């Protein structure tokens, strides 16, 4: 499952970078960089801020992928280590799942920024809240696994 999530996350990072590169030229000089709780843009800045989500997405992806490479190098010496490593693999899978949700969230935000900047929409997409809630739920599950 972890390798599948790495593949999915690789595609999502590529899609985020590609979408940003293809749409950047069409943006006005000032774009929405902050949205209030109602989803309406309430802060504007230079269009260079448009690259924030793709850069953060790349950093998150690289961080989670590096942690997986470190976990795979663990040696299993006895039954206790086996149980501990299973728990780590489960945490890693949930960690990659969080990364997947974050990358989807970043794509949604990037799309909303683009559409609001061009006047195609007046508010951020409501699906952003769904992805945010999923990230919180999976994070709580990981915290619970670490405590056990």
């Amino acid at each position: 499952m972890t390798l599948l999530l790495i593949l999915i996350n690789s595609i999502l990072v590529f899609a985020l970078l590609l979408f940003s590169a293809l749409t950047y030229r069409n943006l006005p000089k000032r774009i929405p960089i902050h949205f209030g709780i109602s989803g309406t843009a309430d802060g504007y800045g230079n269009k260079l801020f448009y690259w924030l989500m793709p850069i953060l997405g790349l950093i998150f992806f690289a961080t989670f992928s590096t942690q997986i490479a470190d976990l795979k190098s663990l040696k299993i010496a006895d039954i206790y280590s086996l149980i501990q490593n299973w728990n780590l693999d489960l945490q890693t899978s949930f960690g990659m799942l969080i990364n997947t949700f974050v990358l989807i969230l970043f794509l949604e935000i990037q799309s909303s920024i683009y559409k609001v900047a061009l006047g195609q929409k007046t508010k951020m997409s409501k699906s952003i809240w769904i992805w945010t809630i999923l990230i919180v739920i999976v994070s709580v599950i990981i915290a619970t696994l670490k405590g056990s």
Side-chain angles (χ1 to χ4, degrees):
M1 178 173 161
T2 304
L3 291 177
L4 177 63
L5 287 172
I6 290 174
L7 176 64
I8 290 169
N9 291 347
S10 299
I11 292 168
L12 288 170
V13 167
F14 179 74
L16 183 58
L17 290 165
L18 183 64
F19 176 78
S20 301
L22 292 175
T23 57
Y24 182 78
R25 184 189 303 188
N26 299 331
L27 292 170
K29 290 182 181 183
R30 294 183 51 78
I31 62 167
I33 59 170
H34 187 269
F35 293 83
I37 195 84
S38 67
T40 305
D42 60 5
Y44 291 83
N46 189 300
K47 77 179 192 176
L48 283 174
F49 278 102
Y50 195 62
W51 290 104
L52 183 63
M53 290 298 148
I55 291 169
L56 286 175
L58 197 55
I59 290 169
F60 288 157
F61 174 73
T63 301
F64 277 102
S65 299
T66 303
Q67 287 177 350
I68 287 170
D70 289 344
L71 288 175
K72 294 299 178 191
S73 67
L74 291 174
K75 301 286 188 252
I76 299 172
D78 55 23
I79 299 298
Y80 180 72
S81 294
L82 178 63
I83 292 167
Q84 214 171 16
N85 286 338
W86 177 82
N87 198 14
L88 285 173
D89 283 342
L90 193 59
Q91 289 175 20
T92 301
S93 293
F94 276 119
M96 286 304 295
L97 191 59
I98 285 177
N99 191 222
T100 304
F101 293 158
V102 167
L103 290 170
I104 293 170
L105 177 66
F106 284 1
L107 272 165
E108 287 281 341
I109 291 170
Q110 198 74 339
S111 174
S112 289
I113 289 171
Y114 181 72
K115 290 175 181 173
V116 171
L118 294 182
Q120 296 173 355
K121 288 177 70 175
T122 58
K123 292 185 172 187
M124 185 181 295
S125 172
K126 290 182 181 178
S127 63
I128 288 171
W129 293 111
I130 294 168
W131 294 111
T132 303
I133 290 168
L134 284 172
I135 291 167
V136 170
I137 290 170
V138 174
S139 297
V140 168
I141 291 170
I142 290 175
T144 305
L145 286 174
K146 284 186 178 181
S148 62

